[in-house]
Amino acid sequence: MAAAVLASLVPASLHLQTPQSRHDDVVAIGRAVREAGRPGDGLLYLTGRHRVWTQPGPQDTRGLTDLALAQGPVSSNTLAGIELPAAEIRHRMTAFQRIVVVRDPVGAHSDTNPQEEAKSRMLARHFHECVTREVTGARVTVYARDDVPCAHR
């Protein structure tokens, strides 16, 4: 009897070890950020809690500036760090021609707070979407300032 129960669990156990079983694929998300970003680009997470998606591979965000991060996860003793006030995030966004944005897939609910509203408003008012890549559990979008073409280096 015990052998039959264990045998019935094997397919489920094997499925849990595949990428298809995951809500989000941090390896694919990190790769998408690395491929989308260029040295000197800004980086935003909508919402800030999604910063954990790229923590396993710091090389994926190397050369990008996290525009909202005030204090990192280690020093703040939190999973995603602590974000700057909304006004400072808006100010930092104005200094960048391109911003890589990491967010939930289409239709997913996002948190709302002053920081998230500032990020979204600035993107809508001063930037245009260049390219979006959908990966398991996330969207990675490159935005360019309205006065900068998407192909600008």
Side-chain angles (χ1 to χ4, degrees), residues 7-70:
S8 70
L9 294 176
V10 169
S13 176
L14 293 175
H15 173 72
L16 291 174
Q17 296 176 26
T18 66
Q20 294 79 14
S21 72
R22 295 182 186 93
H23 170 65
D24 48 33
D25 182 349
V26 297
V27 173
I29 295 167
R31 182 175 35 253
V33 169
R34 184 177 65 245
E35 291 171 356
R38 299 177 185 158
D41 284 351
L43 176 64
L44 282 177
Y45 297 89
L46 295 176
T47 65
R49 64 185 163 84
H50 294 323
R51 194 170 278 108
V52 299
W53 285 343
T54 57
Q55 287 173 349
Q59 71 280 0
D60 295 331
T61 59
R62 190 169 290 124
L64 306 179
T65 301
D66 189 329
L67 300 177
L69 189 63

Side-chain angles (χ1 to χ4, degrees), residues 9-10 14 24 33 41-42 60 75-76 79 86 94 104 106 121 150:
L9 294 176
V10 169
L14 293 175
D24 48 33
V33 169
D41 284 351
D60 295 331
S75 63
S76 68
L79 286 175
T94 63
D104 282 321
V106 175
R121 282 192 189 125
C150 288

Side-chain angles (χ1 to χ4, degrees), residues 1 63 91 101-102 151-152:
M1 171 93 164
H91 176 72
V101 177
V102 181
H152 178 71

Side-chain angles (χ1 to χ4, degrees), residues 2 10 17 36 53 82 93 96 100 126 148-149:
V10 169
Q17 296 176 26
W53 285 343
I82 297 173
M93 289 175 72
F96 286 80
V100 178
H126 302 287
V148 176

